[in-house]
Amino acid sequence: MNHRNTTLNLPLTPSLWNNETHLYAHVKLTRRRVLKNGAPITDKNPNKKIRREDVLVKRMALTRLRKRKKRRDVKSLLDSPSDDDDDASKEIDPNDTSALTKASRNNTHDQILLYLKPSLTLQLVELGPIDFPSKDAIPRQFMDYMDWYAGEDGGGLRMGMSDVYYPIVYGSEFWITFGSLREVNGTLKESTLDVTFEPVSMWKWQLQSQTEENWRKQEQFTGEEDEGNDMLRNMLLETNPYLLAITAVVSMLHTVFDILAFKNDISFFK
């Protein structure tokens, strides 16, 4: 399986500008059955109906709500005067009466605004030869992201199909930073979306998904976004990986030497 990506142009509608709905991507994956010679089974019978268990449909949110804190009118005595704020205000059409545009203009209070994600990353998890004995034995880290075959429309499950699950398709947001989100209002007529489909190993998927889950729990517990998580993303994106590895090794050695020095000090005073 190879890595695939494309870029889509998304036109935005008044329903989004008025915060009446979210934007979703409906992802449909179809299993490709092949003959013994490797040719698709549709070559032999083009009119053959696709089985329901061969189709997985998922809905991925492309927008999210985020609190924008009120803007403080402060000026630095060291910086030269700038017209950036005036230029930004000129971009908004005074005749635009959409709900999100009105909220964006309000800088004196905290506002819950709608933001558009810059990318959609679909990861197909390679589980390998894992064999779960039953649904109850599946760890929660897997169960929360698994989709199960529910049978044909209007019918029940066929014999032996009660515990059939689809491959795990995960919509990763690990690399989406707060700065890359685009605010949705009446001035945003269309936007681009980078779509990526890639296989991912189980250990890498677990690391990223559990990290994202911990970040979400922190935000739910505190009610605020943790800027430290965003700094970590930016550091991983912008820093050379070799430099990060060297820094980690040096920090580890420094910690070990500190422990040994402390141990020698205690032995000396004894």
Side-chain angles (χ1 to χ4, degrees):
M1 186 183 303
N2 54 2
H3 180 283
R4 302 182 184 183
N5 63 335
T6 187
T7 301
L8 303 177
N9 291 323
L10 304 178
L12 305 185
T13 62
S15 298
L16 287 169
W17 302 332
N18 288 289
N19 201 20
E20 297 174 354
T21 183
H22 283 266
L23 188 63
Y24 295 94
H26 295 267
V27 181
K28 181 180 180 180
L29 302 178
T30 304
R31 179 183 179 183
R32 183 185 180 188
R33 294 184 178 270
V34 296
L35 301 173
K36 292 182 179 180
N37 59 3
I41 197 172
T42 53
D43 292 350
K44 183 178 180 181
N45 187 3
N47 298 325
K48 184 177 178 59
K49 184 179 179 181
I50 299 177
R51 299 180 182 178
R52 180 63 182 86
E53 63 265 25
D54 290 343
V55 179
L56 172 63
V57 179
K58 294 182 70 72
R59 187 179 70 169
M60 307 284 186
L62 301 179
T63 52
R64 58 167 294 184
L65 295 174
R66 180 169 177 249
K67 180 190 291 187
R68 189 202 67 189
K69 296 184 178 180
K70 62 180 180 181
R71 297 174 182 173
R72 299 174 58 188
D73 188 12
V74 295
K75 295 182 180 179
S76 174
L77 297 178
L78 301 179
D79 294 338
S80 58
S82 168
D83 296 332
D84 293 343
D85 295 338
D86 295 338
D87 294 340
S89 61
K90 291 178 182 178
E91 294 179 358
I92 299 180
D93 186 0
N95 298 323
D96 186 2
T97 59
S98 60
L100 289 178
T101 302
K102 292 180 180 179
S104 181
R105 290 191 184 126
N106 189 345
N107 298 324
T108 59
H109 298 83
D110 295 346
Q111 298 291 330
I112 303 296
L113 301 179
L114 188 67
Y115 289 84
L116 182 65
K117 301 173 185 178
S119 61
L120 173 64
T121 302
L122 302 174
Q123 295 180 337
L124 185 62
V125 183
E126 298 177 346
L127 294 178
I130 295 181
D131 186 15
F132 300 113
S134 63
K135 285 187 179 181
D136 297 335
I138 299 176
R140 185 185 60 82
Q141 292 82 356
F142 289 90
M143 192 66 179
D144 292 345
Y145 302 99
M146 296 178 70
D147 296 283
W148 296 83
Y149 176 60
E152 300 289 343
D153 296 336
L157 294 171
R158 298 201 307 267
M159 185 176 298
M161 300 289 291
S162 58
D163 292 333
V164 175
Y165 60 89
Y166 292 98
I168 296 178
V169 179
Y170 178 67
S172 176
E173 299 181 8
F174 187 83
W175 299 111
I176 297 181
T177 61
F178 296 152
S180 64
L181 298 173
R182 300 195 64 183
E183 180 182 328
V184 177
N185 53 50
T187 62
L188 189 63
K189 306 300 181 182
E190 64 177 5
S191 182
T192 58
L193 179 72
D194 295 327
V195 182
T196 302
F197 183 81
E198 60 183 6
V200 62
S201 59
M202 183 176 61
W203 69 267
K204 182 179 180 181
W205 165 70
Q206 282 192 300
L207 177 63
Q208 292 186 356
S209 61
Q210 291 303 310
T211 303
E212 289 185 55
E213 183 66 21
N214 291 334
W215 288 344
R216 282 191 290 266
K217 288 182 178 180
Q218 290 177 8
E219 293 180 5
Q220 292 175 0
F221 180 76
T222 60
E224 297 287 341
E225 293 177 339
D226 191 351
E227 298 293 339
N229 299 335
D230 208 46
M231 292 178 60
L232 176 61
R233 289 191 184 99
N234 288 319
M235 181 185 67
L236 295 176
L237 285 171
E238 300 172 0
T239 308
N240 190 303
Y242 294 104
L243 180 60
L244 286 176
I246 294 174
T247 304
V249 172
V250 172
S251 301
M252 188 178 300
L253 292 175
H254 188 274
T255 303
V256 172
F257 291 149
D258 283 345
I259 294 175
L260 293 176
F262 184 69
K263 181 180 179 181
N264 291 334
D265 289 343
I266 294 177
S267 301
F268 174 78
F269 286 107
K270 282 185 176 181

